[in-house]
Amino acid sequence: MSEGRRLTAAPATPVAAGGPALLLIAHGSRDPRHAATVAALVERVRALRPGLEVATAYLDHCAPRIPRVAARLAEAGAAAVAVPLLLNRAFHAKHDIPAALRACGAALPVADVLGPSPLLLAALDRRLAEAGLDLGSPAVRARTGVVLAAAGSSDPAADAATRAVAAEWRRTRGWAAVEVAYASAAGPRVPDAAAALRRAGAAEVAVSPYLLAPGRLPDRIAEAAAGSADLLADVLGAAPEVAALLLTRYDRTRRVVAAAPALTA
């Protein structure tokens, strides 16, 4: 597949009416841009899968919260698959979401987090292209160093997963180099990563937020990029690839749940 095609199209997603509802669980934020981005993403999912009920619940800050939405689904007698809107399997995925579902008595299957996935790399590509980088040129990619700017986590496995994403992105795209930076937790920060890229010989430095929605941490990344990088991409947001990935995680879990009775019969 060419670079241009990868930037403009998400893989086709099978269309199926009905089935268990998709309960999208987002973290939530006091920043209204967060909920607006989640709503736009949900609309993309619905457009890809007409007939599928898609509900949204939040862990914190935003409404509706998980107990309210889980109760509504239960009252309607609707089966559901919970899909976390999270990039890495860190504390929210390992503890907060399962605990919130248990607390309200919702015995729902929970899909895996979004990362890692080739679709996320394609979404990162898309955002850089939208910011003005010519990804169709191997020469441009070869002279560009990219800062993959993530939130950061106290979970070493989550940060290791982000570093693996950076390594795969460099390997498959031919960047001069890719450095990881974090907006919270331990460093390195964006200026540190940008300086490392320039020392390694990158002629141009681009910052690519590995984050799903606008908010305090993306704003912090943008402020740091303004003084240290040549180009800043947008957050992943409601990219078509993210919508397709949500359905991929939903479908995989739905198939496992459907197969379980046959395996135990």
Side-chain angles (χ1 to χ4, degrees):
M1 179 181 290
S2 70
E3 292 294 333
R5 287 178 61 194
R6 178 164 48 241
L7 291 174
T8 57
T13 302
V15 175
L22 189 162
L23 174 56
L24 182 65
I25 300 181
H27 181 269
S29 169
R30 293 184 179 89
D31 190 318
R33 295 174 296 170
H34 178 94
T37 300
V38 173
L41 184 55
V42 166
E43 288 308 307
R44 281 200 181 274
V45 171
R46 287 174 175 152
L48 285 172
R49 188 68 59 86
L52 173 65
E53 180 181 359
V54 183
T56 304
Y58 293 92
L59 274 170
D60 201 1
H61 303 304
C62 300
R65 300 290 180 87
I66 292 172
R68 177 180 169 188
V69 180
R72 178 179 65 78
L73 292 170
E75 288 168 5
V81 172
V83 183
L85 187 60
L86 300 170
L87 293 172
N88 281 334
R89 185 167 171 75
F91 191 83
H92 294 314
K94 292 178 180 178
H95 302 285
D96 287 347
I97 289 177
L101 291 171
R102 285 194 306 269
C104 64
L108 301 181
V110 181
D112 200 0
V113 295
L114 299 182
S117 169
L119 284 169
L120 289 177
L121 298 184
L124 289 166
D125 287 346
R126 176 184 294 276
R127 295 310 189 212
L128 280 174
E130 290 170 350
L133 194 65
D134 182 9
L135 270 77
S137 167
V140 168
R141 297 198 305 272
R143 66 171 182 259
T144 301
V146 183
V147 178
L148 186 67
S153 173
S154 58
D155 187 327
D159 285 343
T162 301
R163 291 193 297 273
V165 169
E168 180 69 4
W169 201 21
R170 181 185 185 184
R171 185 187 71 81
T172 57
R173 304 304 194 263
W175 301 117
V178 179
E179 292 283 341
V180 173
Y182 300 110
S184 64
R189 300 292 193 234
V190 167
D192 304 321
L197 290 169
R198 296 193 194 280
R199 288 195 300 270
E204 185 173 15
V205 172
V207 175
S208 188
Y210 191 53
L211 295 162
L212 286 162
R216 178 174 56 86
L217 294 184
D219 287 349
R220 185 181 296 172
I221 288 169
E223 290 169 5
S228 60
D230 304 297
L231 182 145
L232 172 67
D234 201 358
V235 295
L236 296 170
E241 295 84 1
V242 178
L245 182 53
L246 286 168
L247 285 169
T248 298
R249 296 292 186 250
Y250 163 84
D251 285 334
R252 181 179 299 169
T253 304
R254 181 182 62 167
R255 287 193 294 267
V256 169
V257 171
L263 293 173
T264 59

